[in-house]
Each structure stands twice: as C-alpha cells, then as structure tokens.
Amino acid sequence: MNTEQFRRAGYQAIDRICDHYNSMEEKAVKPSVEPGYLQKALPSAPPTKGEDIEVIANDFQDLIMPGVMHWQHPSFFAYFPAAGTLESIIGDLYASTAMNPGFNWMCSPACTELENVTMDWAASLYGLSKDFYNSANVGGGVIQTNASECAMLAIVAARSRYLMLYPDVPMEKLVIYVTTQTHSLGLKAGLVLGLSVYAFPVRTEDNLSLRGEDLREIIEMDRAEGKHPFVIIGTVGTTSSGAIDNIDEIGETLSDYPEIWLHIDAAWLGAAFSCPEYRERCRVPAINEYADSVCVNFHKWGLVSLDCSGMWVRNRKHLTEALDITPPFLRSSEGDAGTVIDYRNWSLALGRRFRSAKLWFVLRSFGVEGYQAHIRRSISLGEIFVERVREHPELLELVVPPSFSLSVFRIAPRAVPDISADELNELNELYYRNIDKRKDIMLTRTELNGVHCVRFVTGALETKPHHIESAFAICSETAKASIKEYIEGRVQVTKQHRTN
Amino acid sequence: MNTEQFRRAGYQAIDRICDHYNSMEEKAVKPSVEPGYLQKALPSAPPTKGEDIEVIANDFQDLIMPGVMHWQHPSFFAYFPAAGTLESIIGDLYASTAMNPGFNWMCSPACTELENVTMDWAASLYGLSKDFYNSANVGGGVIQTNASECAMLAIVAARSRYLMLYPDVPMEKLVIYVTTQTHSLGLKAGLVLGLSVYAFPVRTEDNLSLRGEDLREIIEMDRAEGKHPFVIIGTVGTTSSGAIDNIDEIGETLSDYPEIWLHIDAAWLGAAFSCPEYRERCRVPAINEYADSVCVNFHKWGLVSLDCSGMWVRNRKHLTEALDITPPFLRSSEGDAGTVIDYRNWSLALGRRFRSAKLWFVLRSFGVEGYQAHIRRSISLGEIFVERVREHPELLELVVPPSFSLSVFRIAPRAVPDISADELNELNELYYRNIDKRKDIMLTRTELNGVHCVRFVTGALETKPHHIESAFAICSETAKASIKEYIEGRVQVTKQHRTN
C-alpha cells in the first residue's frame, strides 16, 4: 500500500467513523448476532493473494460492525462507561505516526517524556499529592494497559518491599487483602502470582466499604497464625455498587503496620477526582496521605480509548527494584547515566504502544473545565434515574445509596405481597433477564450480600436527559411485566402442584 | 468535538502520516534531543480551557515528532523491527469505531470472534499444527499485549497444571528454565511471579542453543536436590543473535518429563514461519509436536503495529483453569452456556482493545504471498550485509552464523595485531559507541559469552539494497576510524606511562 492508497483508505475510515457516530442513536445498543456468526461468515484461512483495502473495509462495515456492542451509545448503562472520544481517536492516530515500542528513553524520547508529562498533568487534574508527580523524581506515574496489571504490579512491588524486610517469609504465608467487593483483579492477581487472597466481608450498613477496625482485627489474627499480610487493595468506587472503602480509617490503621502496602483501585471513579467538590467523598485526601500506589483508568470514564490505565506510585524505586532487569542489548548511555526514566522497569512489558499521545490530546482538547463538565453531566444524568426510582417506591427501590453516576436497584419487596427473600431474588433475576432481552438498552446485573439487583451507570458522552427518561420507562414497564410473569408462573406452579 | 471537526482533524492526521512516510528517508533515524527536552517545552499542568485540536496537532508535529526515533526508517537496523504498516494503521482506525473492552463475547461479539478467526488464520500462515486452532475447540489462540505477558501466562498455566499433580510443592522449590540467551522476559516473569529461574549456559559451538542432553542432566540434578522444574522457555530466534534452541531435542527429553511445560518464544522469528522453506530450520515441526504454548509478536517483524502479540496454547483449559474468575457482574448467558470463548479467562486483563481488527486488515491486504515476500525480502537484504562483512575479513567478522535477517559482527581480532580478548572487547565497545553517535543509522550492541559485538537486523518495509550498502560503508569506515582512535589512545597511554 502506498501513501496515496493510504490517504484514500484513511479518509474513508474517517468518514465512516463520522457516519457511525452521526447515526449511533438510531442503532440498537446491542448486536443481534448468534455465537459463531462471524466464524461462519469468514473463510478458515487468510487469502493467498493480497486483497484491496476497500474490499476489506467494506467487509468491516458489513460483517464486523453488526456484531459490535455500542459502548458509546447514549442508551448504554452497563458495566462501566468506555467513554473514549473522537479526540482520543485523533491522538491515537497521531501516535501511529510514531510506531515504536518505547521501552526506554532512547527508543523514542518523546514517548517517554510525554508519558512523564501527561501523567503529571493527570495527577494535577485529579488533585493527587505532588508525591506522585514524575517531576518530583521520587514517586511517579506510568501508563499501564489495564487495572488488573496495575494491581498485579503494585502487589509485586509490595511483596518485594516486604521481603526485603522479612526475607525468610515463605510465599505460602503471604496474604493479599481485598474485600468481597473488590474487582476481580484482586483474585486474579492472587491466581497469577500464586498468593493467598483474603476477601474481607463488608456490611451493607457500612455501605459495603471496609472499616479500619475490621482491618486491624484481621491483621492481628493473621499474624497470630503466622500469616504475613503485605498488601491491601482499597477500592474507591467498586464495580458492583460504587462503594468507597474507608481509606482514611484503613490508612490510619496501617500507620501501625507501615510494611503493608496500600494500593488504591479507583479504575472507574478516579475520573471524578477531577472535580474538587467530589474529592472529600472520594477520599482523595486520605489517598494522598496514605496510598503507596493508585490506579485510575483513563479508558473508562476518563474520555480516552482503550488501553490506557494510569498508575502512580509514591516511591518509584519500589517498582523499579522489583522489576529492573537490564541485559546488554537494552543498555543505553542515557539509561546508564540515570538521567531518564526507562519505563520498561516500571512494568511487565518491554515493548509498549505510545499511549500518552491520546491522553495528551484529550487533556488539552477538553481542558480541566471540559473534563469536569463531562463528569458533572454524567452524575446529574445518573441523578435523574435515581429520582425516578425514588418516585416509584411501590415498584422499585435502590439497594444501596447511589454512588455518583452509578445506582443499584431492584424490584422492591413491597411490589409483591408476601414475597420471601429468595423469591424476590428469583423475581429480580427474571427482571434482569427481561431487560437483557432488549436490544435498545444495555444494563448489567450484580449481587450485593446475597441481594440480586440491577446496575445503572451513566457516562457515555451522548447521553441526554431524554435517554434517561426512556431508560427509566423501560425499567419500570419491564418491572411490571416481570412481576406479572412471575406471579402467573407461581400460580401455574401452584396449580400443577395441586393437579399432581 | 463534533463529527465535522473530527473529519477535518482526521483528514489532517491522515495527510500528515502520508507526509511523514513520504519524507521519512530524508530524516535522521534518531532524534537529536537531550533528556528533558519535552518536559521543558510543556507546561506543568493541563490547560484550564479546552484547546483547538489544530493547535494540539501542530504541537505534535513541532514538539513530539522531533523527539521520535523512526523505527520504520529504511536505515533502522536495531533491536528488532517494528514493521507496523499503513494497512495496520487503517485496521486500528476501524477498531476505534468499536471502542469497547471486549472482555467477554457479549461485550462485543465481533471482537471475540474476529480474534478467534484471525488467530486461526495466523496459525495457518505460520504452519502451526491444527492443535493450536480455535476451531478445533481444544487448544486455541489469543492476542496478548506483549511477549513478556505471553511468557508469564504460559508459566502461570504451567504452574497450575504442575501443582494439580503435585499440590504440596512449595513455591520456593519451583524452577523456571531459560537459557542465558533467553529474552529478559524469562527473568522478568521470575521476578514478577516470585519464582526461581535457572538460566542454562549455552555454548558458542552449539550456536548458543540449548541441547536436549544438557536439559536432562540439569533436570535430574535439580530433582535430586528436591527442586521442581515445571516449565522451560525455548527460544526460536534469540534477541542477541537469533539463536534457535534445539526444540526437537528439548521436546524429546521432555517426553520423559511430561509434567514440564514447553513454552516457545518466537516473538521475532515467528514471522518467518510464514515461509515453508524456513520452517524446518525454525523447528516448526518440533514446535508442533512438543510445545504447550507458542508466542509470535505480530508487532515485530509481522507487519502489525503495537501492541499485538499472538499466543497459542495446545490445551486452552490449562490457561482458563489457571485464570478463570467469574464474578456475578461478568456473567452472561452465552458464557454460562459455554458456547463462546470469554477471552478475559485467557489473560491477565479484563478490558482489552480490539486488536484483531488490525491483524485482519494486514493478513488480508498482504495475503499469504505478500507476507512471505516481506519476510524473504528482509532476509535477502540481511544477506547483502553478511556478504559485505565476509568480503572484509581483515576488518570485520561475524561472531556467530547469521540467523535469517539478523547478523552479529565485530571488528575482527586480525584488524589489530597482538590484541588481547579484553582489549578487543574494549575496541568493539568504542566501535559501537562511535556507530551510536551517528543519527543517520541505528544499530544495537550485544554480548555473546563474553564477546562484545554489534547487531544488524533488517525488517523495515522501505529498506532497499542501497540502504544496506550505505550501512555497510558506515560500519566499515567507523571500524577503521575506531581502530585508529583505539591505537592512538593506546599509544597515548603508553607514552604517559613512560613519562610517569
């Protein structure tokens, strides 16, 4: 392909992205395809002769796009937002001009330095302590691929620091602390690293967040049993309900156990740190005081496309001491002189994409005010939904207090007289299945301490108040229909039971 | 940013990529910037108000591009190629239309299915056994971010399989086998996982490749000492010299130790599997017979831009049993039914970029023949360089036999009468520093069993025979100048010594 062919194909791709975004709202959120649809449509081997790019691009439109879920759709309220922006696409496209693995400074100085700078910018945007700035040359920020990687690397750094103090502790005695509400990244890191994980149960009356005294009790119990807790993952904005662990209490407790590392997973909610009025509630002051490492995914609510996960550490040497390997073929005069950051020593990977470019485009094109406006708009949209739920207590209820743009709700017990807890769970499972059958809206379910419920989270850039009203209308009508279906099913079962 | 602004910015980005590639040859390979150049040029915080995209794009040209190393430059012969193509950029741009984290089938069915299909296509292109095809539903392929991640996950799967057989083995007794020539990914995985790594010394007379009998001897010794080797990383194309471990011998030895996992790191050389005439030499038949997992980086020699690392496993259940965690919020009716692959259970990450799109564009637009032509062209360009070195035995020598497009050379001992081995290393260090001072060419150094030398590897798409001739001219002139400088320096030292 020469550059003229590339220009034509590139313009066409840009036009099609425009068409896609211009017409997104008319499309269903969810694809209507069956498992295996694409395997059936494509040959089993690549073509022998090269094909024209236009043919491939048309196949992308005709075969791939019908199987895509539209995470940027205004009626997408599931999981967490993937609020990647057009600005981010432009930034990523420019990054393509500089295709290089960026593993050390010399590989492509601009890549390392832009990552230094943008991670400081993001730290400033989020109100993080200067301790986490690259420019202070003690801590610093790095872009990883995803929050699971950030958590794993934090645990690796924590283990390395712990084992320097207690070199004889066998791996089997090490324990990672998470809560039952921590993202699967906690258990996954345990599986990958082969380490034990203890998940603290958290109480609904504590808003599903971990308390400092519970932490102290278990640390003491574990130590008495010869176990060595060495890291705790505190979550600011859990996946299920947006719960925020009591980072201040946790931090205060850990003051008595300074060898235990505190990693903060704020993968989703971290984007809200950009608004000063939310920082107290998000425990940013406590994070700044106590956390050894923090993760915020720019690629969730943070306007950047995947993959782009920000990780800050209070002391970079804990990360690099745990990860630095410098074979001869990777030595460079600048690295040897210690004048530059070599990011390969901050991560698992050697080769890495030039991810800071898209972050830079987004932070500059939105500016602090534009970024804050996006967060505040998402939250106020979420509040409309919460208000509607509260206006219909006979039908629906919030299961826990809403957390910023995330609310968790279910069909209320009072909607069906004399229903048991198990039956109510069954009904809410049916309710979710019925919502999930629809293609014009996307929500996900969860379970909170045995209570089956449905999540609703805003964050797509194009969502407007009327999309929330439609979503609520769907949720309330489907609730009524599900109750009817459930009661009829129960009557049916009872009848059959009587007949038998 | 609305879609019309995006269209303008997108066209401009495409035009600039065209300009960049059209003028690449006139540019220096290496940037002329000092550490910190960009930090000094940029403000310390993001702007308060959003900025115009054109201003940002211009800054990208003016501030970022001068600090970029051009890995696609025809005179880039360092590390391994990052032979990302314009086709790959287009594919990645289309992937941006479908920004979603693709962690399970339902997240975006097309993303999972295209990954299934393209990984089978690549397996077919590379002549891998059908055991590794997704369509066979036993083994399968997945796109990871990088080769270090592939190796780490292979080790995790290996450990999980091993500990099912021997559940009481303490972690401290587990050993990962690599060789002294294995990429840093082996030691890195050991650091990250907290496991011991044993690096086999390999002999220059064996072309720096591991022999089956050496493996057997150490397994027996380790077992006698109560250690538990459970995985070995065999390399097909080492970073330093392109060495190829004797996978057939290793595989045969391992037939007596079936609980030890064989992972093949063919991150760079795997792309050459596409040419049937190279498969025997690349040990593809042995890989097909013995390997439990294989990694090939599409983003090196394989025409795809970063990140895109192919990983195949002979039995997917070893990977998923080691990594599967399914919390309620990730359950989907298709996943529950087992009818689809949920790639989150094949990797560390949950969220993942839609990487198969660019692989699909590349495989289709090049076709098998175009892909093979690229590999054969790179190799024949490398052969020109090797020929020139051989034509100048009074000046230069190959340190080991060339490996496909990679050769390792140095100033020959005979170039300086009566030079000791240490002095020759000193001279070759000086030689490399002098080559490295140039901005118009990029090579990297290495060390092979104590011998200091320089690597030369081809792979950039735009490299032509005349670039190789120029590169050799630079290498031979710099060798002569370095010898002169070295001898003069020696005379100087001797004179000073006499004066004192």
Side-chain angles (χ1 to χ4, degrees):
Chain A
M1 188 186 220
N2 62 33
T3 47
E4 285 316 306
Q5 291 166 319
F6 171 77
R7 197 188 311 270
R8 275 198 304 279
Y11 282 13
Q12 188 181 47
I14 295 291
D15 288 342
R16 286 185 174 174
I17 294 175
C18 292
D19 294 346
H20 175 64
Y21 278 85
N22 287 339
S23 63
M24 178 108 67
E25 199 170 348
E26 299 145 31
K27 290 172 196 152
V29 187
K30 288 188 213 174
S32 295
V33 297
E34 293 298 315
Y37 91 97
L38 189 60
Q39 278 106 318
K40 282 176 210 135
L42 294 176
S44 60
T48 305
K49 305 269 177 210
E51 293 177 276
D52 196 273
I53 196 90
E54 197 152 347
V55 176
I56 310 168
N58 287 340
D59 279 354
F60 191 89
Q61 295 303 104
D62 300 340
L63 299 173
I64 308 300
M65 287 309 288
V68 165
M69 165 96 75
H70 303 305
W71 284 60
Q72 292 77 43
H73 194 288
S75 296
F76 184 90
F77 306 108
Y79 303 108
F80 279 134
T85 51
L86 296 171
E87 288 82 351
S88 178
I89 297 177
I90 296 291
D92 214 14
L93 188 51
Y94 275 100
S96 301
T97 331
M99 288 187 282
N100 74 83
F103 47 79
N104 64 17
W105 182 85
M106 193 55 224
C107 261
S108 220
C111 301
T112 294
E113 298 205 12
L114 193 61
E115 190 162 334
N116 290 180
V117 171
T118 51
M119 284 303 291
D120 279 5
W121 284 16
S124 149
L125 173 70
Y126 294 158
L128 294 183
S129 156
K130 289 222 156 68
D131 291 354
F132 294 112
Y133 284 32
N134 286 304
S135 53
N137 280 321
V138 180
V142 53
I143 302 177
Q144 311 285 8
T145 320
N146 55 80
S148 302
E149 194 177 11
C150 295
M152 187 190 75
L153 292 168
I155 294 169
V156 167
R159 188 189 59 200
S160 154
R161 188 179 75 172
Y162 193 86
L163 291 178
M164 277 185 209
L165 292 170
Y166 308 101
D168 298 328
V169 174
M171 301 271 274
E172 284 72 10
K173 297 288 179 192
L174 294 172
V175 186
I176 301 165
Y177 283 163
V178 300
T179 83
T180 53
Q181 296 303 305
T182 306
H183 185 268
S184 61
L185 57 76
L187 292 174
K188 193 107 173 201
L191 276 186
V192 168
L193 300 175
L195 298 175
S196 303
V197 178
Y198 175 73
F200 282 82
V202 283
R203 301 175 199 92
T204 308
E205 60 267 32
D206 289 329
N207 280 338
L208 301 166
S209 72
L210 179 62
R211 309 299 306 259
E213 280 313 305
D214 293 333
L215 173 61
R216 184 184 302 276
E217 194 188 318
I218 298 292
I219 293 176
E220 289 300 326
M221 263 177 59
D222 274 353
R223 291 199 164 183
E225 289 176 21
K227 290 180 193 161
H228 289 261
F230 69 100
V231 63
I232 174 163
I233 301 178
T235 307
V236 172
T238 60
T239 310
S240 272
S241 70
I244 297 168
D245 283 325
N246 293 285
I247 307 303
D248 35 4
E249 292 183 11
I250 293 172
E252 214 161 300
T253 300
L254 291 184
S255 307
D256 296 332
Y257 310 93
E259 61 283 15
I260 301 181
W261 184 289
L262 175 59
H263 175 68
I264 301 296
D265 175 32
W268 160 64
L269 190 54
F273 298 179
S274 58
C275 302
E277 70 272 28
Y278 301 137
R279 286 184 193 153
E280 191 64 42
R281 205 174 133 202
C282 288
R283 314 277 184 189
V284 177
I287 292 171
N288 282 336
E289 192 171 348
Y290 301 116
D292 292 290
S293 53
V294 191
C295 164
V296 179
N297 279 351
F298 304 114
H299 63 227
K300 281 195 166 72
W301 201 5
L303 301 172
V304 181
S305 52
L306 287 130
D307 314 290
C308 201
S309 186
M311 179 185 191
W312 290 271
V313 288
R314 191 177 296 275
N315 192 335
R316 64 178 73 171
K317 102 173 167 343
H318 296 137
L319 206 51
T320 57
E321 281 176 355
L323 294 169
D324 187 357
I325 294 164
T326 305
F329 66 89
L330 289 181
R331 285 180 51 202
S332 68
S333 45
E334 297 79 11
D336 288 352
T339 52
V340 294
I341 284 180
D342 282 347
Y343 272 126
R344 69 190 155 78
N345 298 327
W346 295 49
S347 57
L348 169 63
L350 193 57
R352 48 213 307 281
R353 190 182 168 94
F354 183 17
R355 296 192 172 83
S356 56
K358 57 189 173 187
L359 179 57
W360 190 57
F361 269 77
V362 165
L363 293 179
R364 289 188 64 180
S365 55
F366 279 82
V368 173
E369 291 180 356
Y371 204 96
Q372 291 170 334
H374 156 66
I375 297 296
R376 291 176 184 137
R377 193 169 47 230
S378 302
I379 293 173
S380 71
L381 287 167
E383 284 165 354
I384 299 176
F385 188 83
V386 165
E387 212 175 299
R388 294 293 164 276
V389 171
R390 286 189 170 135
E391 286 164 7
H392 294 79
E394 76 297 345
L395 186 63
L396 298 172
E397 69 170 12
L398 296 173
V399 179
V400 286
S403 177
F404 298 89
S405 56
L406 168 62
S407 53
V408 182
F409 66 100
R410 64 169 178 172
I411 293 178
R414 73 170 72 173
V416 186
D418 302 324
I419 193 164
S420 72
D422 282 352
E423 286 169 332
L424 188 60
N425 274 345
E426 250 178 63
L427 168 57
N428 275 292
E429 280 279 295
L430 170 69
Y431 176 39
Y432 178 72
R433 283 199 303 277
N434 286 336
I435 294 176
D436 194 41
K437 277 180 194 155
R438 301 186 68 110
K439 303 292 179 192
D440 55 349
I441 191 171
M442 176 76 191
L443 282 76
T444 37
R445 62 178 163 185
T446 195
E447 195 206 299
L448 294 176
N449 283 349
V451 174
H452 291 219
C453 34
V454 185
R455 295 166 73 260
F456 185 90
V457 57
T458 49
L461 273 170
E462 296 303 322
T463 304
K464 303 272 180 328
H466 72 87
H467 297 111
I468 305 292
E469 303 291 0
S470 305
F472 182 77
I474 290 172
C475 287
S476 60
E477 277 154 35
T478 309
K480 287 176 202 157
S482 300
I483 292 166
K484 189 157 173 274
E485 188 185 340
Y486 184 79
I487 291 173
E488 282 172 6
R490 205 157 59 165
V491 171
Q492 200 63 33
V493 169
T494 318
K495 272 189 191 159
Q496 277 179 0
H497 185 74
R498 285 198 189 134
T499 321
N500 290 349
Chain B
M1 188 185 220
N2 63 33
T3 48
E4 285 316 307
Q5 292 165 319
F6 172 77
R7 197 188 312 271
R8 275 198 304 279
Y11 282 12
Q12 188 182 46
I14 294 291
D15 287 343
R16 287 185 173 175
I17 294 174
C18 291
D19 294 346
H20 175 65
Y21 278 85
N22 288 339
S23 65
M24 177 107 68
E25 199 170 347
E26 300 146 30
K27 289 173 196 150
V29 187
K30 287 188 213 172
S32 295
V33 296
E34 293 299 314
Y37 92 97
L38 190 59
Q39 279 107 319
K40 282 176 211 136
L42 294 176
S44 61
T48 304
K49 305 269 177 208
E51 293 177 277
D52 195 272
I53 195 90
E54 197 152 346
V55 176
I56 311 168
N58 287 342
D59 279 353
F60 190 88
Q61 295 302 105
D62 301 339
L63 299 173
I64 307 300
M65 286 309 287
V68 166
M69 165 94 77
H70 303 304
W71 285 61
Q72 291 77 44
H73 195 288
S75 295
F76 183 91
F77 306 109
Y79 304 108
F80 279 134
T85 50
L86 296 172
E87 289 81 351
S88 178
I89 297 177
I90 297 290
D92 215 14
L93 188 50
Y94 275 100
S96 301
T97 332
M99 288 186 282
N100 74 83
F103 48 77
N104 64 17
W105 182 85
M106 192 56 221
C107 260
S108 219
C111 302
T112 294
E113 297 206 11
L114 193 61
E115 191 163 335
N116 291 178
V117 170
T118 52
M119 284 302 290
D120 278 6
W121 284 17
S124 149
L125 173 70
Y126 293 157
L128 294 182
S129 156
K130 290 224 156 70
D131 291 354
F132 294 112
Y133 284 33
N134 287 305
S135 53
N137 280 321
V138 180
V142 53
I143 301 177
Q144 310 285 9
T145 320
N146 56 81
S148 301
E149 193 177 12
C150 293
M152 186 190 76
L153 292 169
I155 294 169
V156 167
R159 187 189 58 200
S160 152
R161 189 180 74 173
Y162 193 86
L163 292 178
M164 277 186 208
L165 292 169
Y166 307 100
D168 298 328
V169 174
M171 300 271 275
E172 284 73 9
K173 297 288 179 191
L174 294 172
V175 186
I176 300 166
Y177 282 164
V178 302
T179 84
T180 53
Q181 297 303 306
T182 305
H183 184 270
S184 60
L185 57 76
L187 292 175
K188 193 108 173 200
L191 277 186
V192 168
L193 300 176
L195 297 175
S196 303
V197 178
Y198 175 74
F200 282 82
V202 284
R203 302 175 198 90
T204 307
E205 61 265 31
D206 288 330
N207 279 338
L208 302 166
S209 71
L210 178 62
R211 309 299 307 259
E213 279 314 303
D214 293 333
L215 173 61
R216 184 184 302 277
E217 197 188 315
I218 298 293
I219 294 176
E220 289 300 325
M221 263 177 58
D222 275 354
R223 290 198 165 184
E225 290 176 19
K227 291 179 193 161
H228 289 259
F230 71 99
V231 62
I232 174 164
I233 300 178
T235 307
V236 173
T238 60
T239 309
S240 273
S241 71
I244 297 168
D245 284 325
N246 292 285
I247 308 303
D248 36 4
E249 292 183 10
I250 293 172
E252 214 161 296
T253 300
L254 291 183
S255 307
D256 295 332
Y257 310 94
E259 62 282 16
I260 301 181
W261 184 288
L262 176 58
H263 174 68
I264 300 295
D265 174 32
W268 159 63
L269 191 52
F273 299 179
S274 58
C275 303
E277 70 272 28
Y278 301 137
R279 286 185 192 152
E280 191 65 39
R281 206 175 133 203
C282 289
R283 314 277 183 187
V284 176
I287 292 171
N288 282 336
E289 193 170 348
Y290 301 115
D292 292 291
S293 53
V294 190
C295 163
V296 179
N297 278 352
F298 302 116
H299 65 228
K300 280 197 167 72
W301 202 5
L303 300 172
V304 180
S305 53
L306 285 130
D307 313 293
C308 200
S309 187
M311 179 186 191
W312 290 270
V313 288
R314 193 177 295 275
N315 193 335
R316 63 178 74 172
K317 103 173 163 1
H318 295 137
L319 206 51
T320 55
E321 280 176 355
L323 294 169
D324 187 358
I325 294 163
T326 305
F329 67 87
L330 289 179
R331 284 179 55 201
S332 68
S333 45
E334 298 79 10
D336 288 353
T339 51
V340 293
I341 284 179
D342 282 346
Y343 271 124
R344 71 190 154 77
N345 298 326
W346 295 50
S347 56
L348 169 63
L350 191 58
R352 50 212 306 280
R353 192 183 167 92
F354 183 17
R355 295 191 172 81
S356 57
K358 56 188 173 187
L359 179 58
W360 190 57
F361 269 77
V362 165
L363 293 179
R364 288 188 65 182
S365 55
F366 278 82
V368 173
E369 291 179 357
Y371 203 96
Q372 291 169 335
H374 156 67
I375 297 297
R376 290 175 185 138
R377 194 170 45 229
S378 303
I379 293 173
S380 72
L381 288 166
E383 283 165 354
I384 298 176
F385 188 84
V386 165
E387 214 174 297
R388 294 293 165 273
V389 171
R390 287 189 170 135
E391 285 164 6
H392 295 80
E394 76 295 347
L395 187 64
L396 298 172
E397 69 169 14
L398 297 173
V399 179
V400 286
S403 177
F404 298 89
S405 56
L406 168 62
S407 52
V408 183
F409 67 101
R410 64 169 177 172
I411 293 179
R414 72 169 74 173
V416 186
D418 303 323
I419 193 163
S420 72
D422 281 353
E423 288 169 331
L424 189 60
N425 273 348
E426 253 177 59
L427 169 57
N428 275 291
E429 281 278 296
L430 171 70
Y431 177 39
Y432 177 73
R433 282 198 304 275
N434 286 333
I435 294 176
D436 194 41
K437 278 179 192 155
R438 302 187 66 112
K439 303 293 179 192
D440 56 349
I441 191 172
M442 176 75 189
L443 281 77
T444 36
R445 61 179 163 184
T446 195
E447 194 207 299
L448 293 176
N449 282 350
V451 173
H452 291 219
C453 34
V454 185
R455 296 165 74 260
F456 185 91
V457 57
T458 48
L461 272 171
E462 296 303 321
T463 305
K464 303 273 182 325
H466 72 88
H467 298 111
I468 306 292
E469 303 292 358
S470 307
F472 182 77
I474 290 172
C475 289
S476 59
E477 279 154 34
T478 309
K480 286 176 203 158
S482 301
I483 292 167
K484 192 159 170 270
E485 187 184 342
Y486 184 79
I487 290 174
E488 282 173 7
R490 207 160 52 166
V491 170
Q492 202 62 33
V493 169
T494 316
K495 272 188 197 161
Q496 279 180 357
H497 185 73
R498 284 198 193 137
T499 320
N500 292 347

